[in-house]
Amino acid sequence: MKIVVDDKIPYIQEKLSVLADEVVPVGGAEICAADVRDADALIVRTRTRCDESLLKDSKVSFVATATIGYDHIDADYLSRMGIAWTSCPGCNASSVAQYVESSLLLLQQDKGLVLSDTTIGIVGCGHVGSKVKVVAERLGMRVLVCDPPLEEANSQQPIANSYVSLDIIEHEADIITFHVPLTRKGEHATWHLADEAFFHRISRVPYIINTSRGGVVDNAALLSALQEGRVRDAIIDVWEGEPHLNVELLQRVFIGTPHIAGYSADGKVNADNMVIDALCRHFHLEHPGKIMPPSLPSDFPYTGSPLELYNPLNDSQALKANPSKFEYLRNHYPLRREYF
């Protein structure tokens, strides 16, 4: 068996080498048709577009993306060709929740926001949004949740009453945070969900947080809203056109990071294990055992503050100082744990 794997997926190659005769690590953005032509399996992240141009005439029968999102996977093509594929739903949900919690604490610490007097609007309440909801409630915030697909799915259950429409969030939220997939079609398409019209409808001059997908928030419209005072400030981890982001927007936001909200070692290992599980099921292989995240150094200074475990301002300062190093900062990310 031959497996081609994105060389920036950490911790996974040792287990893959137990399962396969040949493991070929390649940069995610550089993976091409020649690399996968004689491969049996392909393991990627968001930088590899898995479609006909990559997979035509290849031996690949299984594709895994070690990410929650899968808008880089041409699912229709893979289905037509009988190629099995999987993503890792929820793998880094706790990591993103950690990012949001630290960001909220920084808004309180550095911007004077009293979280217990603040209303947060959560747009999307799946794996990530539901954990952000728990964080916000623990911080004493008033929480509004908007998720039309989930509301429809639960329409016959009492939980349906806990959802609000987007316009309620637009008028009542002091912070609006997005946790939706990127979709361009259908009744609940999310591409440019926060567009120019959205920023003209909001009432309370809110803070905007986006850790979902860059295209969910119209970056040009957000910059205009910030410049015109319709948005108080923003925390942005995902960008339109990555890795070529809007540098003016980056320098304007409170926190701007290189798509690393879900990059705790815990989240990465969760994804690795989900990929290994699916790979073994597909090829009927004996499981090589679970991967465990590395420990923090024994002298790690920790007194109990979440900001000691993770402070996103550090990542923001690094990106603002070197916007052209977006991919480098993303691919050479230091050890970060969710727990001490």
Side-chain angles (χ1 to χ4, degrees):
M1 176 187 287
K2 177 180 178 179
I3 299 175
V4 173
V5 58
D6 184 316
D7 65 359
K8 298 304 187 295
I9 298 176
Y11 317 128
I12 198 172
Q13 290 189 36
E14 181 180 350
K15 295 296 185 183
L16 292 180
S17 67
V18 174
L19 297 171
D21 303 295
E22 185 179 5
V23 178
V24 181
V26 184
E30 283 74 53
I31 295 174
C32 65
D35 296 318
V36 304
R37 186 165 292 120
D38 61 345
D40 300 283
L42 174 62
I43 302 173
V44 302
R45 299 185 305 159
T46 56
R47 291 296 185 260
T48 307
R49 175 70 183 168
C50 297
D51 56 12
E52 182 175 5
S53 64
L54 179 66
L55 298 168
K56 184 179 180 181
D57 297 327
S58 76
K59 284 178 54 186
V60 172
S61 67
F62 175 83
V63 173
T65 179
T67 60
I68 292 178
Y70 51 85
D71 45 285
H72 54 295
I73 304 289
D74 187 341
D76 291 338
Y77 173 75
L78 268 62
S79 177
R80 290 197 308 272
M81 301 307 296
I83 301 172
W85 71 275
T86 187
S87 62
C88 298
C91 64
N92 61 2
S94 294
S95 179
V96 178
Q98 179 190 43
Y99 178 100
V100 173
E101 179 179 22
S102 293
S103 298
L104 292 173
L105 292 173
L106 286 167
L107 286 176
Q108 181 165 261
Q109 173 183 291
D110 294 3
K111 299 290 184 178
L113 192 67
V114 180
L115 295 178
S116 58
D117 295 336
T118 299
T119 296
I120 186 170
I122 299 173
V123 183
C125 198
H127 291 290
V128 177
S130 59
K131 289 186 180 294
V132 171
K133 180 175 182 287
V134 171
V135 165
E137 290 172 341
R138 187 171 67 241
L139 293 172
M141 306 174 76
R142 176 182 178 231
V143 179
L144 301 174
V145 175
C146 172
D147 194 319
L150 276 182
E151 184 175 12
E152 291 173 4
N154 294 303
S155 61
Q156 304 303 315
Q157 302 176 28
I159 192 174
N161 297 323
S162 64
Y163 297 104
V164 302
S165 61
L166 185 58
D167 68 295
I168 295 295
I169 285 178
E170 291 168 351
H171 288 90
E172 297 187 18
D174 304 294
I175 300 170
I176 302 175
T177 182
F178 293 92
H179 303 286
V180 296
L182 180 62
T183 57
R184 293 175 178 266
K185 299 177 182 179
E187 182 182 358
H188 304 301
T190 61
W191 184 77
H192 281 192
L193 182 61
D195 57 7
E196 185 176 359
F198 169 88
F199 290 118
H200 278 94
R201 292 194 302 266
I202 52 180
S203 300
R204 298 179 65 85
V205 194
Y207 294 92
I208 298 294
I209 303 175
N210 187 19
T211 59
S212 57
R213 283 291 183 265
V216 170
V217 174
D218 182 333
N219 284 195
L222 173 58
L223 178 58
S224 295
L226 286 163
Q227 293 169 334
E228 295 167 10
R230 287 180 275 115
V231 168
R232 196 172 307 276
D233 217 324
I235 295 164
I236 304 297
D237 180 58
V238 290
W239 309 80
E240 291 193 279
E242 292 179 13
H244 308 292
L245 69 168
N246 184 322
V247 176
E248 187 176 1
L249 177 61
L250 169 66
Q251 300 299 345
R252 177 62 180 78
V253 299
F254 174 45
I255 297 172
T257 50
H259 201 152
I260 46 72
Y263 267 34
S264 72
D266 307 80
K268 292 178 179 181
V269 164
N270 287 340
D272 290 349
N273 285 323
M274 293 171 79
V275 167
I276 294 293
D277 290 349
L279 184 74
C280 290
R281 285 195 302 270
H282 178 78
F283 290 105
H284 307 290
L285 302 171
E286 183 178 350
H287 201 287
K290 293 292 185 183
I291 302 169
M292 300 301 293
S295 299
L296 289 168
S298 58
D299 59 348
F300 184 84
Y302 182 64
T303 62
S305 168
L307 289 174
E308 291 174 332
L309 273 177
Y310 178 58
N311 187 329
L313 278 177
N314 296 330
D315 289 325
S316 181
Q317 290 164 0
L319 182 60
K320 288 185 178 186
N322 295 283
S324 64
K325 290 190 173 181
F326 188 101
E327 286 292 84
Y328 179 86
L329 293 169
R330 189 169 188 246
N331 292 328
H332 297 82
Y333 196 66
L335 175 62
R336 168 183 151 205
R337 291 298 308 271
E338 296 170 27
Y339 311 100
F340 181 71

